[in-house]
Amino acid sequence: MPLPAHLTQRNGELYFEDVALDHLAQQHGTPLFVYSKAAMLDALSSYQRGLAGRDHLICYAMKANSSLAILQTLVRAGCGLDIVSGGELERALAAGCAPERIVFSGVGKSRDDMRRALELGIGCFNVESRSELDTLDAVARSVQRRARVSVRVNPDVDARTHPYISTGLKGNKFGIAHGEVLETYRHAASCAALEVVGIDCHIGSQITESSPYLDAMDRVLDLVDAIEAAGIRLHHIDFGGGLGIDYNGDTPPAADQLWPQLLARLDARGYGDRKVTIEPGRSIVGNAGVCLTEVLYTKPGEHKNFLIVDAAMNDLPRPAMYQAFHRIEPVKPRAGDPAIWDVVGPVCESGDWIGRDRALTVQAGDRLAVLSAGAYCMSMASNYNTRGRAAEVLVDGQTTTVIRQRESAADQMRLETLLP
Ligand code: LLP
């Protein structure tokens, strides 16, 4: 199977751009996340090509990977940011994002978060319930600002993805049900401190087909027809994120293929003049990162062979949470017949696995690269078992920059106090 872009085998070693991964692991220790700037910018440019010539804003969904240097790279390349918490708002600012290029998503924004975002003048709140609308109106009045809002609608389409990351179906907590959207817009338009500017939808994540997007577009545009017929003008249409990546032979449409199709529908329905906002996360950073880990022990057994590595579910939570598949490749492949291994971490849980039944030729001390680890790994990492979070390195050609130091035990205990 071909390797993700900018990851190559050279002289029997795995390289990210022009940097040997084994050397990086030796220098900085493991587990270590390594990102390729070129891979990130290539993924972004596919969207930029797909939306070229249109009034658009690509708000990178920073929940996928919110490390400051990653945000900074994408902001410098023209991205706005999609945030879901007050913490993400502060990160967005720290990374240099202009507040008006921020959209604020999520079902549970706090009053404090709303206030701060209003004072900064963010671009848009994507509102998910009637009571959130009322709270936002009240908070905006209290700080004498007007909140620009979109209502997140639930188009009730099946994104055909993992149930935990499917968000556009009726049974989900997300968005406002189709039948209640018009009434919600009427209400929003009547709130003095709210300014209705758009409509928003996001149907799920790791979507590997075009059809859910095309269906959602049709359903959203039906709503736009009705809302505008009621005299409420929508300046932008936000189609969320969700485009999948290739983890294991998956074949999602490329952004520069999908978007021309979606724009053609917009044109056909008479909305070609509207600004298009999108919130991609995984598809920008997912295949731009790997996690390097060292084999601590080999533990062959009667029923299973285990490779115990120094990365764990606290670093790479996706297999434990979603039974997700990440390819695992030796950083310096060695000759010999492979054995079948379960690759597991040191955490005291049977759920702490990274890959199952993998054919690998390895010995203790070898290093492995867990691929497609740029999205929803570091940003979901925890300190379970008091494991410090991994260090991160950004590669740009031959240049490497440590963008996050390894977390120490002292870092983890900093906010705690012993009893007197
Ligand atoms: N916009 C909204 C409102 C979202 O909820 C999400 C993701 C995105 C944009 C970005 O979606 P993306 O382009 O990254 O698919 N932790 C899970 C994924 C959770 C996605 C949550 N929402 C995983 O590791 O697969």
Side-chain angles (χ1 to χ4, degrees), residues 47 61 63-64 82 84 105-106 128 152 164-165 167 174 200 202 204-206 240-243 247 279-283 318 322 375-376 380:
Y47 281 100
K63 64 170 80 70
D82 170 45
V84 290
S105 299
E128 301 227 14
R152 176 167 174 187
Y164 283 12
I165 53 176
T167 53
F174 298 103
D200 169 51
H202 170 78
S205 200
Q206 185 54 18
L243 194 57
Y247 283 103
E279 305 163 359
R282 185 192 321 263
S283 50
R318 303 190 67 256
Y322 319 108
Y376 302 113
M380 290 172 66

Side-chain angles (χ1 to χ4, degrees), residues 310-389:
D310 65 1
M313 64 189 288
N314 71 299
D315 306 296
L316 295 161
R318 303 190 67 256
M321 283 187 76
Y322 319 108
Q323 295 76 48
F325 183 96
H326 286 264
R327 280 173 70 184
I328 300 173
E329 298 289 336
V331 166
K332 261 189 171 175
R334 50 171 81 242
D337 288 336
I340 304 297
W341 302 95
D342 273 14
V343 181
V344 302
V347 164
C348 303
E349 299 228 17
S350 297
D352 180 27
W353 57 277
I354 295 169
R356 287 183 166 148
D357 300 320
R358 303 300 176 86
L360 294 162
T361 309
V362 267
Q363 293 175 8
D366 286 3
R367 299 188 180 94
L368 303 173
V370 180
L371 307 192
S372 313
Y376 302 113
C377 292
M378 191 55 170
S379 61
M380 290 172 66
S382 78
N383 290 126
Y384 190 36
N385 282 201
T386 307
R387 290 170 49 86
R389 278 175 298 168

Side-chain angles (χ1 to χ4, degrees), residues 22-85:
D22 201 55
H23 179 68
L24 270 187
Q26 276 173 42
Q27 231 181 335
H28 301 288
T30 48
L32 181 73
F33 283 94
V34 185
Y35 306 109
S36 152
K37 181 177 173 186
M40 242 183 289
L41 295 183
D42 281 0
L44 175 62
S45 71
S46 181
Y47 281 100
Q48 290 168 328
R49 277 193 305 279
L51 292 162
R54 296 286 175 140
D55 186 10
H56 73 269
L57 180 61
I58 301 171
C59 290
Y60 164 63
M62 62 185 278
K63 64 170 80 70
N65 186 320
S66 54
S67 298
L68 290 177
I70 302 286
L71 302 181
Q72 199 185 21
T73 303
L74 294 170
V75 166
R76 284 181 180 165
C79 285
L81 296 173
D82 170 45
I83 65 166
V84 290
S85 72

Side-chain angles (χ1 to χ4, degrees), residues 246-312:
D246 177 7
Y247 283 103
N248 186 27
D250 306 289
T251 53
D256 61 355
Q257 306 289 312
L258 175 66
W259 272 95
Q261 288 179 61
L262 289 168
L263 294 174
R265 292 250 171 145
L266 265 187
D267 292 345
R269 299 275 305 255
Y271 295 110
D273 59 338
R274 303 313 155 89
K275 179 173 178 174
V276 173
T277 301
I278 56 169
E279 305 163 359
R282 185 192 321 263
S283 50
I284 305 280
V285 291
N287 267 328
V290 300
C291 180
L292 305 183
T293 182
E294 185 174 314
V295 178
L296 298 173
Y297 306 106
T298 56
K299 189 174 175 183
E302 218 173 285
H303 298 290
K304 280 259 168 192
N305 300 320
F306 292 104
L307 279 184
I308 299 164
V309 301
D310 65 1

